[in-house]
């Protein structure tokens, strides 16, 4: 069963936070590159760079079999990733505005050591 309607392709940061914060069957999947991830990401997000997904890389174990709420810096790469993942059979939507919108909405951003991070 799919969490997202097939016609639904994008969610707001508020919807993303609610979905991934309140459901164990959904995960926030950050598709930015390693240096971006290290400087700041949403707590409990799972990292899977778009470059790896495009070349056929598998999803991390923590994201497999779960609904995917895909996020990047501004929303462009996450649209590509959500489309690619949906074509592979995943239940995926992307976050409008990405991590820029996430941080602007006041949601937490942490760096790789768990302290307050920033969006690169």
């Amino acid at each position: 069963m799919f969490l997202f309607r097939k016609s639904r392709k994008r969610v707001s940061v508020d919807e993303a936070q609610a979905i991934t914060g309140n459901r164990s069957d959904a995960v926030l999947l950050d598709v930015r590159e390693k240096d971006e991830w290290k400087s700041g990401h949403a707590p409990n997000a799972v990292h899977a760079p778009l470059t790896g997904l495009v070349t056929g890389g598998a999803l991390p174990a923590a994201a497999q079999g779960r609904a995917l709420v895909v996020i990047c810096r501004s929303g462009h790469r996450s649209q590509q990733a959500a489309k690619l993942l949906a074509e592979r059979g995943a239940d995926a939507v992307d976050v409008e505005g990405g991590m820029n919108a996430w941080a602007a909405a006041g949601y937490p951003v942490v760096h790789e050591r768990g302290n307050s991070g920033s969006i690169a």
Side-chain angles (χ1 to χ4, degrees):
M1 185 170 108
F2 286 95
L3 175 63
F4 307 119
R5 294 185 314 267
K6 287 291 187 180
S7 61
R8 182 137 198 208
K9 303 215 186 296
R10 306 198 89 187
V11 295
S12 70
V13 291
D14 293 332
E15 291 170 309
Q17 197 284 329
I19 293 166
T20 60
N22 297 325
R23 298 187 63 108
S24 62
D25 59 344
V27 65
L28 187 65
L29 184 71
D30 192 320
V31 296
R32 296 175 301 146
E33 295 305 312
K34 187 175 182 178
D35 58 330
E36 295 172 290
W37 166 264
K38 287 169 82 173
S39 68
H41 58 272
N44 301 316
V46 173
H47 187 225
L50 178 60
T51 53
L53 295 173
V54 167
T55 59
L59 284 171
Q64 292 180 8
R66 296 172 74 186
L68 305 172
V69 179
V70 186
I71 197 164
C72 66
R73 184 177 52 84
S74 64
H76 180 71
R77 288 176 284 180
S78 60
Q79 278 186 296
Q80 292 176 302
K83 182 178 184 235
L84 173 74
L85 292 164
E87 288 170 354
R88 292 182 186 172
D91 186 13
V93 294
D94 85 289
V95 180
E96 282 187 276
M99 286 301 297
N100 287 334
W102 180 274
Y107 292 118
V109 176
V110 296
H111 68 55
E112 66 178 332
R113 293 189 185 103
N115 298 323
S116 183
S118 62
I119 306 304

